[in-house]
Amino acid sequence: ADWRRSRGVAMASAGADDTVAVGGAGGGGGKGDGDDAASPFDDLFRRELAGVRARLDEMDARHMMEAGMKAAMGDDTDIRQLQADQVARSAARNRKQLEALWTRFDRDSNGILSRDENRALIKEYLRASKVWTPKVVEETMMVGMQIGLRMATEMMGGDLPDELLSEINLQLNALKPQIQAVAEQVLDGIDADRVADEALIKMDANGDGRVDRPEFMSRFLSVMTEVFNPQDIIVSIQDAMGMGKG
C-alpha cells in the first residue's frame, strides 16, 4: 500500500515536471556530469529540474495524490490536466531558452522549422534526455514519496520523522543505477526520426504544413511532454523495480 501511494504521487509529480519527461536528484547535470559535451537543452532541463520541488509545493498535495492514484488505476484525465497547466506556465518561464533553441535549429533562418531541422532538434533532445531523465525521475520519486508519507503522518496526527527522510534518500541512492539503466532502455527504444515527424505535425497548430516561430514557442514543450510522456517513463521504471500495480 505504501508503494502504491508513492507510485501514485510520483505519477502525479511526473505530470508536474514539464519537460521530461525524459539523468542525482536535486540538481546538477550538463557538461562535466559525464556527458560528452554540453547540449543546447541543458539549460532548459536544468531549470526544470530545479523547479520540480518548487512547483510541487505550489500544487495542492491532496489533489495531486488523488490524480496520481486515479492514473495508477487507469484514468489519467487529471494527470493530463496537471501536465497541461504546468506546461503552459513553463513555456512562459522558459521563453529565453526556447528562443535560443529556435535560433540554433532554424539553421537557414527562414522562420520555418523544416523536417530535417526538426529531426536534428529531436535527436539532440533525446541525447540530452539520457543525461537528465534519471535526475528528474529521482527528484520526482523523492518528492512523491515525501508527500505521500507526509500526508499519511498528518492523517495519523504526527510529524514526518527526519530519520525516515534519511532512509528514503538511502533507498533512492541505492536505486540510481537501476533508474539510469531503465531510463536509457526506454529512451533507446525510441525511433528519433519517427517521433520527430510526429512532433512536427503536432506543433503545426494551424495545419498549414509548416511550423513557424510562434507555433514552436507555444507548442514545443507541450508536444515534448506528450511525445516523451514522463508518466510513462516513470511507470516503466517503477514496474522494472517491482513497484507496479501488480
Side-chain angles (χ1 to χ4, degrees), residues 137-196:
V137 168
E138 290 161 20
E139 179 70 0
T140 298
M141 291 177 69
M142 166 66 79
V143 171
M145 284 189 283
Q146 287 182 0
I147 290 175
L149 289 169
R150 185 180 300 122
M151 292 182 66
T153 55
E154 286 175 356
M155 285 188 289
M156 294 185 293
D159 296 322
L160 188 60
D162 290 340
E163 56 268 24
L164 190 53
L165 294 178
S166 298
E167 179 63 25
I168 292 174
N169 274 314
L170 289 174
Q171 290 180 10
L172 281 179
N173 283 332
L175 290 173
K176 280 183 180 181
Q178 196 168 359
I179 291 174
Q180 179 77 42
V182 176
E184 288 183 0
Q185 183 180 14
V186 171
L187 293 168
D188 284 342
I190 293 174
D191 182 335
D193 286 343
R194 180 189 62 78
V195 167

Side-chain angles (χ1 to χ4, degrees), residues 24-179:
K31 193 171 183 179
D33 253 346
D35 49 328
D36 294 333
S39 165
F41 287 96
D42 283 345
D43 193 28
L44 187 65
F45 276 102
R46 187 179 294 110
R47 287 169 57 86
E48 293 307 314
L49 178 61
V52 169
R53 186 174 296 272
R55 287 196 303 277
L56 289 172
D57 288 343
E58 295 171 358
M59 299 169 70
D60 177 68
R62 190 171 300 279
H63 179 211
M64 183 176 62
M65 184 174 180
E66 290 173 354
M69 294 299 291
K70 285 176 65 177
M73 301 303 294
D75 180 2
D76 64 355
T77 304
D78 290 350
I79 288 290
R80 298 288 183 178
Q81 186 59 54
L82 288 174
Q83 288 177 338
D85 292 345
Q86 289 296 324
V87 167
R89 285 192 283 269
S90 182
R93 183 173 56 252
N94 291 301
R95 184 172 183 83
K96 180 179 178 181
Q97 286 68 34
L98 292 171
E99 290 276 7
L101 289 172
W102 176 268
T103 299
R104 183 185 182 100
F105 288 98
D106 178 22
R107 292 173 175 169
D108 58 7
S109 300
N110 70 343
I112 300 296
L113 190 66
S114 71
R115 183 170 181 254
D116 288 342
E117 289 169 340
N118 185 59
R119 284 187 168 190
L121 181 150
I122 295 299
K123 286 177 181 177
E124 183 58 43
Y125 183 91
L126 271 172
R127 186 176 78 85
S129 293
K130 291 180 181 180
V131 174
W132 288 97
T133 293
K135 302 179 191 295
V136 171
V137 168
E138 290 161 20
E139 179 70 0
T140 298
M141 291 177 69
M142 166 66 79
V143 171
M145 284 189 283
Q146 287 182 0
I147 290 175
L149 289 169
R150 185 180 300 122
M151 292 182 66
T153 55
E154 286 175 356
M155 285 188 289
M156 294 185 293
D159 296 322
L160 188 60
D162 290 340
E163 56 268 24
L164 190 53
L165 294 178
S166 298
E167 179 63 25
I168 292 174
N169 274 314
L170 289 174
Q171 290 180 10
L172 281 179
N173 283 332
L175 290 173
K176 280 183 180 181
Q178 196 168 359
I179 291 174

Side-chain angles (χ1 to χ4, degrees), residues 6 27 31 48 112 216 228 239:
S6 298
K31 193 171 183 179
E48 293 307 314
I112 300 296
F216 175 82
F228 300 101
D239 286 344

Side-chain angles (χ1 to χ4, degrees), residues 214-227:
E215 288 173 323
F216 175 82
M217 295 293 295
S218 65
R219 296 180 66 88
F220 174 72
L221 291 180
S222 63
V223 169
M224 290 301 96
T225 300
E226 182 177 349
V227 173

